[in-house]
Every structure is written in C-alpha cells, then in structure tokens.
Amino acid sequence: LLHSLPYSDRIRVRSDVTTLNTQINSLQYKLGLHAHPNGLSEHFIQLFGTIPIYFQGLQYNIPVSIFIPYAYPYQPPLVYVTPTADMRIKPGHAQVDPTGACAGVQYLHMWSSHSSLIELVTVLSSLFSNDPPVYRFLGDSVSPLSYPTRTNLISSPTQPNYSQPSTAYPQQQQPQLPYPQP
C-alpha cells in the first residue's frame, strides 16, 4: 500500500500506523480519498474507526478518520470526527468544528517530527473524555436525556460496526446521561 504513494518517510509511516493499529484495535487503516477545502483530492493512508473515551465513569467510542499526509511526520495528520447517522457534532465544541475537523486540537498545532499517532490518539481520548464532541440525535430533535452512549467495544478487527445504534451510545438497559447544553 505504501509503495504506491509518495510518502517522504515510508518507514516512519509504516511504524506509526502499525503501532497504533496494534495498540488501538478499534482503528483500522486503508487507502482513503481526502478532499481538501480547495476542492483537490488526494489518496492518503486513512485510519478509521473509533477512539475509546471515558465520560462520567462510562466508556464510549468516538468515530474518527485520520488521514496521514505525504509529508508525515513533518506535517500533522488530518483528523475528523465522523458522526454516525444518529449522532451530531456538538455545537460550539472547542476542538471540533461543525464539519468534524479537529481544528482546535492544540497537539496538532504544535506537531513536530517527534510527535506520534499514539500520542495524538491519547490526547484526543483525553480531550474528548472531558468534553465529548458528539451527541445522540433522534429524528428531528435532540433527545434531552441522551448523550454518547456506553459501548461494548467488541469490534471486528477488519471493520468497526457503525450500523448499530449502540456503537456510540449507552445500551438501552443503562441509564441515559443528560446532554450538557452547549
């Protein structure tokens, strides 16, 4: 996969992606098409799946896509929260803009060649544990008694299960958490 792409440091890309995939098995990788804001698109290695977080004592999964640019590790990854059909980005979130881009993540702004994907995911997990970037969306309105829900975290090693509503929300037998108002 890497041989066909013009990465400046293929060894580092392979090492970091493999290490992350080994330690966080809810993130998989593939060749993904990234559309830049200027309309151009490029094929990059894309990590996709979920990042586990802990909010109010419960475990949740936040769906993400992480694109590895060709200049990695000298350029930071492009990180997006990718809500499922029954989720929405929390309005006014400090780290995630309305499009899902993690534009406010300071770790990405301070990125250096010594930074790593493992550190990035650890930072995202910590930030999102303090303030989850998504909430549960029920039809035409936000459920006032719902929030990203507790998950089972059992996922296929090849493809995260996004089709089940319980992927990112607490199971029905669990009490629902109130949605913090933006």
Side-chain angles (χ1 to χ4, degrees), residues 80-91:
Y80 299 89
V81 172
T82 55
T84 61
D86 61 344
M87 294 180 197
R88 296 294 183 267
I89 300 291
K90 181 179 173 187

Side-chain angles (χ1 to χ4, degrees), residues 113-181:
S113 62
H114 302 290
S115 301
S116 74
L117 294 175
I118 286 289
E119 289 174 0
L120 171 62
V121 169
T122 301
V123 166
L124 291 172
S125 180
S126 176
L127 290 170
F128 296 167
S129 290
N130 289 325
D131 184 16
V134 294
Y135 63 90
R136 187 173 187 179
F137 181 79
L138 300 174
D140 294 332
S141 63
V142 173
S143 171
L145 298 176
S146 65
Y147 207 85
T149 63
R150 187 176 189 165
T151 61
N152 191 336
L153 283 189
I154 297 175
S155 62
S156 161
T158 57
Q159 179 175 342
N161 183 1
Y162 291 137
S163 63
Q164 299 294 324
S166 63
T167 299
Y169 301 113
Q171 298 171 1
Q172 293 296 43
Q173 65 267 29
Q174 298 296 324
Q176 300 248 329
L177 300 174
Y179 170 59
Q181 296 302 313

